[in-house]
Amino acid sequence: MDLVERAWRAAPRAAQARGLKARAPAAVAQGHVRSRWRLAGPALGLACAGACAGLAAVAAWTMNVDEQRLAAPADRMASFALADGSRVWLTPGSAVTMRATLLDRAVRLQGEGTFDVRHERRPFAVTAGDVRVVDRGTLFSVARRDGQTAVILARGAIDIEDSHSGAVIASPHPGQQVALGGDTATISDVDATAALAWREGRLVVQDQPLSAVAARLAELSGTPIALRDPAIGTLRVYGTYRIGDAAQFLDAVAALYPVAWRRTERGYEVYRR
């Protein structure tokens, strides 16, 4: 209906462009009006049809959609090439849906992903919950967990928007993280290279509590790591570890602290010696 209405409004200008003219009905005899409209009718019909065809072509051009849905298995990370030439790395169990048209590229994320966006004129936007991250050629990550969203910018420039109102929440610089929860947004400096090393199969730990590192390694490897004594979760850990080798990490922890570990049917458990 919108296309028809626009075509109807455009018809007089289209007719005038073809050299057609019509007087106001009150200024001519009724018979002449009928005659003139009999002559002008086919031309106006052609003009209207042409306008409709043009508008339909524009609509088809803008509505041409290329859609992808990609998901990582529950037990390992995965990397995919998107339809526009960009690349995404997903943590286990995460998924993206991308809808690309000739005007824009829209991605919806579930879980956590790192995006290396191919630069072009079409905007690229990632929506996670109530947050939308918009850029044109950037390396960044977005993680959505328990109603909280964290965005890390490694390269380029992004705007973080409210996905409902479009209001800009933050425009971080490379090497910054934006943590969003409720009505607050907190910006902090991070080592983006270390934070995104997981896409290369490495977990870089910089003086973090064992509980957080074990949870992160379990999340990235898809294998649970249970701490039997909550007190050992406060032990500080550092180093670089292979994500697919939890035993290497646990051996390193056991060499530093009075803890031991064992393999279970579900994964690993760590306990005090």
Side-chain angles (χ1 to χ4, degrees):
M1 289 299 296
D2 182 59
L3 290 174
V4 171
E5 182 179 356
R6 290 192 220 172
W8 182 257
R9 291 177 179 175
R13 291 192 300 272
Q16 186 176 9
R18 290 175 174 266
L20 301 174
K21 296 181 181 180
R23 297 191 186 121
V28 296
Q30 187 67 26
H32 291 157
V33 170
R34 291 198 190 99
S35 175
R36 180 171 285 105
W37 280 108
R38 279 199 298 270
L39 293 174
L44 283 174
L46 289 174
C48 186
C52 284
L55 290 170
V58 171
W61 182 74
T62 58
M63 295 172 64
N64 183 23
V65 176
D66 187 359
E67 183 168 323
Q68 285 180 292
R69 177 166 174 81
L70 306 167
D75 59 348
R76 64 182 184 276
M77 301 176 299
S79 173
F80 301 98
L82 298 177
D84 68 330
S86 300
R87 180 162 289 277
V88 60
W89 291 261
L90 298 174
T91 59
S94 297
V96 294
T97 300
M98 178 176 180
R99 290 174 59 86
T101 72
L102 295 175
L103 296 181
D104 62 9
R105 297 167 290 171
V107 176
R108 184 164 291 277
L109 170 69
Q110 296 174 318
E112 179 178 358
T114 293
F115 300 86
D116 194 350
V117 180
R118 179 182 178 183
H119 178 69
E120 58 176 75
R121 291 184 178 275
R122 291 182 299 172
F124 186 102
V126 178
T127 299
D130 296 332
V131 174
R132 181 169 57 237
V133 181
V134 182
D135 85 315
R136 292 183 181 274
T138 298
L139 177 62
F140 66 96
S141 72
V142 182
R144 178 75 176 176
R145 303 183 190 90
D146 303 324
Q148 308 289 312
T149 303
V151 180
I152 296 176
L153 177 61
R155 184 187 70 238
I158 59 175
D159 285 331
I160 301 174
E161 302 176 348
D162 183 298
S163 63
H164 302 295
S165 68
V168 175
I169 300 171
S171 299
H173 300 297
Q176 289 186 326
Q177 172 180 274
V178 182
L180 303 111
D183 296 329
T184 63
T186 304
I187 300 178
S188 57
D189 294 332
V190 297
D191 184 341
T193 300
L196 303 188
W198 64 264
R199 63 195 178 102
E200 301 167 351
R202 297 181 295 115
L203 178 63
V204 179
V205 181
Q206 300 171 324
D207 191 24
Q208 298 173 27
L210 176 59
S211 58
V213 178
R216 181 61 168 165
L217 186 61
E219 181 181 44
L220 293 174
S221 66
T223 303
I225 300 176
L227 304 182
R228 291 305 175 196
D229 183 351
I232 66 178
T234 61
L235 300 174
R236 310 302 293 186
V237 182
Y238 56 90
T240 300
Y241 305 96
R242 293 189 299 273
I243 290 174
D245 190 356
Q248 175 218 14
F249 166 71
L250 295 174
D251 280 341
V253 174
L256 289 174
Y257 300 109
V259 300
W261 64 274
R262 58 175 166 254
R263 186 73 191 251
T264 67
E265 292 183 359
R266 294 191 58 197
Y268 300 89
E269 63 179 18
V270 184
Y271 54 93
R272 188 179 296 275
R273 280 200 303 241

